[in-house]
Amino acid sequence: SQKIEQNSEALNIQEGKTATLTCNYTNYSPAYLQWYRQDPGRGPVFLLLIRENEKEKRKERLKVTFDTTLKQSLFHITASQPADSATYLCALDRGSGTYKYIFGTGTRLKVLA
Amino acid sequence: DAGVTQSPTHLIKTRGQQVTLRCSPKSGHDTVSWYQQALGQGPQFIFQYYEEEERQRGNFPDRFSGHQFPNYSSELNVNALLLGDSALYLCASSIPGTETQYFGPGTRLLVL
């Protein structure tokens, strides 16, 4: 069956370090993958999208990689700050002809001052 | 420019009751998707509306129904509420041909 896995354990890192979050998927062939940030009690906020033919995408301190062979995406936050503390969700499209996004369970990141 | 808005913010119902949640999409957006997010889980796709029609549906029973109005706003209706329907209900809007979804703040539903 189709599955998306994100590390359910919270990730604690020191301020200034690089946070790396993982999104693995099985039995999908997504055309693109998205990362969202979600704060407690709020809706997800779109951060980055990477397509299947792109290896890497950057936006300010954020970097996303997409390895369709490994079926994995890595999400990096460099020079992390306490304000980066949140839950980060990855989402995949179901492929052409569908409009449904499948979300992972999210990884909670805590940046310690 | 107002983002996606949802009402109410919180709601308490009892088992067997019916509930209606409302969503106004971001200005210029004509597509609305609804998601259910249980505590500690990722959002689960319920359905998507475009041009006042349900375009796609996730694995939710017929107790979950929706509607989209000519002004693109949308409602989510849930009948015969179960305890397991307690969750954060999220609305997301987008423009056809773009992949980015803009989420509202959600409606927190508690079923007792």
Side-chain angles (χ1 to χ4, degrees):
Chain A
S1 63
Q2 297 163 325
K3 206 185 271 189
I4 300 174
E5 288 182 349
Q6 292 186 256
N7 192 341
S8 58
E9 298 286 328
L11 178 64
N12 294 335
I13 64 165
Q14 286 298 130
E15 183 177 8
K17 299 292 186 185
T18 295
T20 298
L21 285 67
T22 304
C23 177
N24 295 300
Y25 60 93
T26 57
N27 299 325
Y28 280 116
S29 295
Y32 52 87
L33 184 149
Q34 303 181 6
W35 284 88
Y36 289 80
R37 168 185 173 138
Q38 187 172 26
D39 291 286
R42 310 285 295 271
V45 174
F46 171 78
L47 296 174
L48 278 170
L49 178 150
I50 186 164
R51 300 183 187 282
E52 60 178 339
N53 60 349
E54 297 174 317
K55 295 294 184 189
E56 183 180 296
K57 202 78 162 289
R58 290 175 186 261
K59 179 183 173 184
E60 297 171 356
R61 294 185 296 111
L62 309 180
K63 184 178 87 172
V64 173
T65 62
F66 194 10
D67 188 327
T68 54
T69 301
L70 290 179
K71 294 187 181 297
Q72 181 182 78
S73 174
L74 298 178
F75 176 78
H76 307 272
I77 306 175
T78 58
S80 60
Q81 305 165 1
D84 295 326
S85 298
T87 295
Y88 291 87
L89 299 157
C90 71
L92 283 70
D93 77 304
R94 284 291 306 278
S96 61
T98 73
Y99 307 97
K100 198 168 140 175
Y101 295 92
I102 309 298
F103 280 81
T105 55
T107 298
R108 194 166 70 247
L109 172 68
K110 186 168 184 179
V111 181
L112 306 169
Chain B
D1 173 28
V4 179
T5 59
Q6 292 186 244
S7 63
T9 54
H10 296 84
L11 205 50
I12 300 175
K13 292 284 189 179
T14 56
R15 279 180 298 173
Q17 285 190 311
Q18 178 264 344
V19 68
T20 297
L21 310 182
R22 295 175 176 82
C23 171
S24 290
K26 188 175 168 63
S27 177
H29 288 193
D30 55 8
T31 302
V32 173
S33 300
W34 286 92
Y35 291 83
Q36 180 195 65
Q37 187 175 24
L39 207 57
Q41 301 296 314
Q44 300 289 314
F45 178 83
I46 302 176
F47 41 53
Q48 184 182 85
Y49 276 85
Y50 171 67
E51 291 188 343
E52 302 179 52
E53 298 276 338
E54 183 184 292
R55 182 156 70 169
Q56 188 140 30
R57 189 177 185 91
N59 296 324
F60 280 81
D62 292 345
R63 299 186 297 109
F64 289 77
S65 63
H67 189 76
Q68 185 177 37
F69 298 94
N71 67 353
Y72 308 128
S73 67
S74 177
E75 286 182 351
L76 164 66
N77 301 293
V78 187
N79 294 323
L81 284 167
L82 303 174
L83 296 180
D85 294 332
S86 296
L88 180 68
Y89 287 85
L90 295 162
C91 166
S93 73
S94 57
I95 304 171
T98 68
E99 300 90 359
T100 303
Q101 296 184 99
Y102 293 83
F103 282 85
T107 293
R108 174 73 63 188
L109 172 65
L110 178 62
V111 182
L112 301 175

